[in-house]
């Protein structure tokens, strides 16, 4: 998935539409976030743990000066503290989308 932040919004909500299918195969996975914002490189590995067909825990592992945080949702999570006016790519399993 690729998205562009073109305004001052600095968060993005990520939803897994197929949590029940994911939990049949794995209980945790990693997503990769990378991009560029105003000349600053953005790189984070996001560990997502599932439990009982919903997202149970999200832990971002940030590289560089990135101060990315997450807030938990039932079927996903919100990425917070992204730089405004950035281009970002999230590598995630099928069925994952931006809301």
């Amino acid at each position: 998935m690729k998205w562009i932040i073109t305004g001052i919004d600095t968060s993005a909500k990520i939803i897994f539409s197929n949590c029940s299918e994911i939990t049949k195969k794995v209980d945790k996975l990693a997503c990769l976030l990378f991009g560029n914002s105003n000349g600053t490189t953005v790189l984070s590995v996001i560990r997502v743990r599932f439990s009982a067909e919903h997202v149970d825990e999200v832990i971002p592992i940030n590289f560089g000066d990135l101060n990315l945080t997450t807030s938990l949702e039932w079927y996903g999570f919100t990425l917070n503290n992204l730089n405004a006016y950035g281009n970002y790519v999230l590598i995630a399993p099928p069925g994952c989308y931006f809301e």
Side-chain angles (χ1 to χ4, degrees):
M1 294 182 295
K2 178 180 179 183
W3 83 100
I4 299 173
I5 295 178
T6 57
I8 58 172
D9 188 16
T10 58
S11 64
K13 188 172 183 179
I14 312 300
I15 298 296
F16 293 94
S17 63
N18 56 347
C19 280
S20 60
E21 291 299 315
I22 291 172
T23 56
K24 289 178 185 176
K25 298 175 183 171
V26 297
D27 63 343
K28 57 184 160 268
L29 56 84
C31 300
L32 177 65
L33 173 72
F34 63 93
N36 187 305
S37 176
N38 298 326
T40 302
T41 300
V42 173
L43 178 61
S44 182
V45 175
I46 303 163
R47 180 179 171 257
V48 183
R49 188 175 74 187
F50 297 87
S51 175
E53 299 183 359
H54 68 275
V55 176
D56 185 50
E57 181 182 51
V58 180
I59 301 172
I61 302 166
N62 300 314
F63 297 91
D65 294 333
L66 184 63
N67 186 25
L68 182 70
T69 61
T70 58
S71 37
L72 196 59
E73 306 285 338
W74 190 253
Y75 292 114
F77 58 94
T78 300
L79 296 169
N80 303 303
N81 297 332
L82 291 166
N83 294 331
Y85 301 100
N87 296 300
Y88 302 97
V89 175
L90 180 70
I91 298 176
C96 183
Y97 66 92
F98 294 104
E99 185 172 74

